[in-house]
Amino acid sequence: MRLWRRFCSGVLRAAGWRIRVPDALPARCVVVVAPHTSNWDFFVGYPAKVALGLDLRFMAKHSLFRGPCGWWLRRAGGLPVDRRNAQGLIGQSVESFARRERFMLVITPEGTRGRTDYWKSGFYHIAREAGVPILLAYLDYGRREVGIGLQVMPSGDVGADMAGIRAFYDDKQGRIPANQGPVMLRLGAGAPRDT
């Protein structure tokens, strides 16, 4: 495992990427990764996860976990989620936090690699209901830097919390800048945005 970590670290260095993370990270948190504008993000993010030795988990629809693909997804940190479950994604995520002493759940709030007008608010609700902080992770292709910068404890004042998150991501550049939308939430059908 140590050799695999060194290999992933070396691959990132050879490609001109730097990794920046704080010395101490919480054992339980929601890790927001943005901007997410390309499939190539995985080929930077996954080696960084391995190089840092982080047990980052992500959720994907349960049907993807069948056959050999399922084995690989679990190995990479995937957790199957049944979208038909009455609890919904937020409920299942909060339950996952309740069952574990260590749990770092990765979410890409844009929900797609294409441009969107707003972020999905699930990451905020999961962190708030689970009582865990939100770590702001990034892939900045302009600086060729991948890392974790800011920690936000959701206060319930979505506008204020999102203002801090927006300021953090303001100077981060995705691989395809045209796919990078604004950092804001739409809080429900017909509801005002967070600003």
Side-chain angles (χ1 to χ4, degrees):
M1 197 60 161
R2 199 169 169 173
L3 184 61
W4 181 233
R5 285 180 67 181
R6 283 204 312 250
F7 173 77
C8 287
S9 181
V11 165
L12 286 172
R13 261 195 321 275
W17 284 85
R18 292 178 310 227
I19 300 174
R20 302 262 188 248
V21 294
D23 290 334
L25 297 173
R28 299 169 72 240
C29 57
V30 172
V31 181
V32 168
V33 180
H36 180 39
T37 63
S38 166
N39 284 332
W40 284 101
D41 295 347
F42 175 81
F43 297 102
V44 176
Y46 184 75
K49 160 193 156 28
V50 173
L52 292 168
L54 296 176
D55 184 22
L56 299 175
R57 310 304 294 249
F58 63 92
M59 296 196 170
K61 61 183 175 181
H62 70 288
S63 60
L64 295 173
F65 288 82
R66 295 186 185 121
C69 184
W71 175 87
W72 187 86
L73 283 172
R74 281 184 181 83
R75 186 107 168 107
L79 299 169
V81 171
D82 186 351
R83 293 180 180 176
R84 298 167 296 173
N85 185 312
Q87 277 188 297
L89 180 60
I90 292 173
Q92 290 175 73
S93 301
V94 170
E95 185 181 297
S96 292
F97 275 104
R99 288 193 321 261
R100 296 172 170 91
E101 286 184 34
R102 301 187 63 79
F103 190 56
M104 300 176 87
L105 178 62
V106 174
I107 296 177
T108 54
E110 292 113 324
T112 181
R113 293 165 310 281
R115 183 178 169 80
T116 60
D117 291 332
Y118 56 88
W119 283 10
K120 295 179 183 288
S121 60
F123 77 92
Y124 188 89
H125 297 298
I126 292 166
R128 180 121 168 97
E129 289 181 32
V132 299
I134 299 166
L135 294 186
L136 303 183
Y138 60 94
L139 299 161
D140 187 345
Y141 284 81
R143 293 185 185 99
R144 297 195 65 81
E145 190 171 283
V146 57
I148 297 172
L150 192 62
Q151 180 173 311
V152 176
M153 193 67 183
S155 67
D157 182 344
V158 180
D161 293 341
M162 285 304 297
I165 292 170
R166 193 169 18 264
F168 174 78
Y169 284 110
D170 187 52
D171 65 346
K172 309 299 187 282
Q173 179 186 318
R175 184 169 195 274
I176 304 172
N179 287 354
Q180 205 167 317
V183 177
M184 63 175 51
L185 301 180
R186 189 172 89 185
L187 301 174
R193 294 179 183 181
D194 64 15
T195 53

